[in-house]
Amino acid sequence: MLLILPQVLTGCAHLSSPSLISLDGSPIDELSQVARVSLDSRHPLLLQGLDGHPLATTRIPNILAAEVFVLGGGRHTLWVSSVPYGHPLLPQRISCYQIDVALDRGAAYVLVEDRDRGQALVLRDDTGEPVASGRLVDRPWVFARTCRWE
């Protein structure tokens, strides 16, 4: 019985490498040629749009299936929003941010929400240094409508 318990406990843990999702047609097999953007697991943001265009689907962060977004280096505009908390009966708002950022090829970044300051940040994954911050552009009620981007 004691031998089975460790296997049961680790059976649900995410053990494989993250899924790479190309946002702009960039190759996922040449990571030195693209920028990688992941979501912070503690205060995740939803990536909703890239360079003035909404994404076809919004990916919900999942602790068991890590995903990394891949896109070409250079200047980009990211549309991101906060994740609503789970209780549907409490009134709540989501925060919508627009981030203008220059991403380096071969570098990895993390999207983080700083709730206390009301801003979204892009951090270098290796150093944790901020490279860009996003401004709040909308704060709709969660059941009333989605974000209105400028």
Side-chain angles (χ1 to χ4, degrees), residues 17-147:
S17 59
S19 298
L20 299 174
I21 301 163
S22 179
L23 295 179
D24 60 358
S26 295
I28 62 171
D29 56 350
E30 295 182 37
L31 297 182
S32 64
Q33 300 301 311
V34 295
R36 294 166 308 208
V37 178
S38 60
L39 304 175
D40 179 53
S41 60
R42 291 169 294 136
H43 300 290
L45 291 167
L46 300 177
L47 184 56
Q48 305 248 354
L50 176 67
D51 298 331
H53 302 286
L55 297 179
T57 61
T58 299
R59 304 243 182 206
I60 307 299
N62 182 343
I63 195 166
L64 297 178
E67 295 174 331
V68 175
F69 300 103
V70 174
L71 59 156
R75 296 217 48 86
H76 293 284
T77 299
L78 307 176
W79 291 345
V80 297
S81 67
S82 60
V83 177
Y85 45 88
H87 200 289
L89 299 179
L90 294 177
Q92 58 185 307
R93 292 182 179 267
I94 54 173
S95 299
C96 309
Y97 304 97
Q98 179 174 315
I99 307 170
D100 295 313
V101 62
L103 302 175
D104 295 330
R105 291 187 313 178
Y109 301 90
V110 180
L111 288 175
V112 178
E113 181 180 22
D114 184 344
R115 292 180 183 167
D116 296 333
R117 293 190 177 140
Q119 61 182 315
L121 301 169
V122 178
L123 308 177
R124 286 282 303 222
D125 191 37
D126 54 355
T127 64
E129 294 295 317
V131 296
S133 64
R135 60 189 173 84
L136 185 67
V137 296
D138 196 13
R139 233 172 150 261
W141 290 102
V142 98
F143 291 115
R145 62 179 171 81
T146 60
C147 296

